[in-house]
Amino acid sequence: MKSLTLVLPLVAMSVLLSPLDNAGAADTVSEAVYGKMPDGAEARVFTLTNANGMEAKVTEYGAILVSITVADKDGNFADVTHGYDTLEGWLTNTSYFGATVGRFGNRIANGKFTLEGKEYNLATNNDPGGIPCALHGGIKGFDKVLWKGESFENDTDRGVKLTYVSADGEEGYPGTLTTVVTYTLTDDDELIWEASATTDAPTVLNVVHHSYWNLSGDATTSINDHELTLYADHYLPTDAGLIPTGEVAPVAGTPMDFTTAHVIGARVEEDFEALKLGAGYDHAWVLSGEKDGDLTKAARLKDPETGRVMTIATNQPAIQFYGGNFLDGTVEGKGGVAYQHRSALCLETENYPDAPNNPKAPPAVLKPGETYYHKMIHAFSAE
Ligand code: BGC
């Protein structure tokens, strides 16, 4: 009897309090065990839900964006990213779907760079055009390690903060690097990805978010129909190994000109050297969009069929637009769909590829006492 009298007021109180809770963003982050790593460690998945019904899932494995649902012009929600249904699937991810890539996202020529007079050798895990390079942080980069996640929420935002400490010498890079990545889903339908890092010895880095987008919400379709705008007057031509040559070339008059919206597939097969070398679009554009404080307008992507739009703003100097040219139907992802050629694209804000070897690139060096900071805002809407 006694315990019942104590319980009843508590139940009544929680009923009274719940409408207040719902007015804010309370209870809009949940977490669950996603699965086990090969060594038995648990990886969790965090689900972020905003006031408009958007849902983003983020896992501690690879600080990966597992999925994000976005409404089309009729209010129908669908996941607009490639990936896997389970942690076991993600453990096979060699395409960097949804991942946080690092330490150095994109390519480093020959897997070599010199820092303060010392040469460093990285694994060469990629060889476009038969030319070896280091890609996306190495054999076991940031996309393949277990991060430590912690959720947060306030009235209008909710998210997850993920931390990873990369040991001195890991994947050949110097310095103990502590990286914190946050994903925030706002009630303005923005997904904000941020990375900050500190080191105990000079190192190089370029931490990059690597989601594959198909705004139709149907991963069996081609992104060749999507309309893309890149707020960039110049791009970086590459050699056959997809390493920038050092030239900063104007886009005007070329199929690389996305300063106004263009259907991606309209020019991708043109007889243009950069497109031949990249097997399609796979280049860095130097951003020259409108500024808002530290942020530069970088890209606008639209699926004309569903009306879904994604815009990207960043504090980084460049954006890699990769048109999914290496997808070839061999990877089976969410719902058993075999991801075909150009069924998704990446828009990766970053420093220049191979920046440590390119004197014309913005510096990619981080020293003790400094903080690296990369911000990327994806804003979703439909029209
Ligand atoms: C690169 C592609 C590469 C892909 C790997 C992109 O960032 O630009 O060349 O094949 O990552 O998934």
Side-chain angles (χ1 to χ4, degrees):
M1 244 345 243
K2 205 174 173 194
S3 59
L4 193 67
T5 50
L6 278 175
V7 166
L8 277 175
L10 280 177
V11 170
M13 263 175 73
S14 68
V15 168
L16 278 173
L17 280 174
S18 58
L20 281 177
D21 285 357
N22 291 339
D27 303 330
T28 59
V29 189
S30 64
E31 62 179 79
V33 174
Y34 198 34
K36 284 203 169 144
M37 300 283 291
D39 68 359
E42 273 181 355
R44 289 179 296 169
V45 63
F46 293 79
T47 302
L48 320 176
T49 311
N50 80 359
N52 308 318
M54 277 181 78
E55 186 191 88
K57 285 184 187 285
V58 174
T59 176
E60 290 175 305
Y61 177 64
I64 283 171
L65 177 69
V66 169
S67 59
I68 182 164
T69 63
V70 179
D72 68 6
K73 58 178 188 270
D74 301 317
N76 301 312
F77 282 89
D79 177 17
V80 293
T81 58
H82 275 16
Y84 300 91
D85 290 322
T86 61
L87 179 66
E88 290 67 42
W90 287 105
L91 290 171
T92 69
N93 184 14
T94 53
S95 309
Y96 306 89
F97 294 143
T100 293
V101 297
R103 297 186 186 190
F104 200 94
N106 216 311
R107 296 186 165 84
I108 294 184
N110 308 308
K112 284 186 201 302
F113 66 92
T114 302
L115 181 60
E116 301 196 328
K118 188 172 170 203
E119 187 181 88
Y120 292 89
N121 289 286
L122 311 169
T124 49
N125 55 338
N126 189 239
D127 62 348
I131 305 169
C133 66
L135 176 70
H136 292 338
I139 310 282
K140 192 176 177 192
F142 284 2
D143 60 300
K144 293 185 186 65
V145 298
L146 193 58
W147 297 61
K148 177 88 188 114
E150 196 187 321
S151 65
F152 59 86
E153 58 189 311
N154 60 38
D155 279 358
T156 55
D157 302 343
R158 73 288 301 152
V160 53
K161 171 178 152 186
L162 302 128
T163 305
Y164 178 66
V165 180
S166 171
D168 179 26
E170 190 173 296
E171 289 297 326
Y173 293 94
T176 311
L177 187 74
T178 302
T179 305
V180 177
V181 163
T182 59
Y183 286 91
T184 306
L185 182 65
T186 73
D187 284 344
D188 292 330
D189 294 347
E190 291 174 342
L191 179 74
I192 305 172
W193 176 92
E194 290 161 285
S196 61
T198 53
T199 183
D200 66 359
T203 192
V204 299
L205 79 170
N206 189 30
V207 187
V208 172
H209 179 68
H210 206 281
S211 277
Y212 282 64
W213 305 100
N214 182 327
L215 296 184
S216 77
D218 177 354
T220 66
T221 64
S222 167
I223 51 78
N224 274 347
D225 298 344
H226 282 34
E227 295 165 5
L228 178 66
T229 311
L230 294 174
Y231 301 96
D233 295 331
H234 292 83
Y235 76 104
L236 305 179
T238 67
D239 62 16
L242 298 184
I243 301 293
T245 57
E247 189 194 351
V248 180
V251 295
T254 79
M256 311 304 270
D257 188 352
F258 284 92
T259 50
T260 56
H262 278 84
V263 172
I264 290 170
R267 299 169 298 173
V268 71
E269 300 300 347
E270 276 184 22
D271 187 11
F272 185 72
E273 194 190 14
L275 293 175
K276 297 279 169 229
L277 293 173
Y281 293 107
D282 195 358
H283 300 82
W285 273 254
V286 179
L287 294 172
S288 51
E290 218 174 281
K291 291 256 183 200
D292 177 9
D294 286 349
L295 296 178
T296 308
K297 213 170 155 181
R300 184 180 200 269
L301 182 68
K302 179 180 175 183
D303 170 39
E305 193 67 29
T306 61
R308 287 193 186 92
V309 173
M310 176 177 76
T311 63
I312 294 178
T314 185
N315 65 352
Q316 295 296 294
I319 191 166
Q320 180 89 7
F321 161 37
Y322 165 56
N325 310 308
F326 296 118
L327 296 174
D328 59 6
T330 54
V331 171
E332 207 174 280
K334 294 172 186 172
V337 173
Y339 292 136
Q340 302 296 340
H341 190 225
R342 299 186 182 148
S343 58
L345 63 92
C346 302
L347 290 167
E348 310 151 45
T349 57
E350 57 190 26
N351 198 341
Y352 294 9
D354 196 34
N357 295 309
N358 179 352
K360 283 194 191 153
V365 176
L366 183 72
K367 294 187 173 148
E370 299 174 344
T371 302
Y372 168 88
Y373 180 59
H374 179 166
K375 184 170 188 178
M376 181 186 203
I377 303 179
H378 303 85
F380 297 94
S381 58
E383 60 186 30

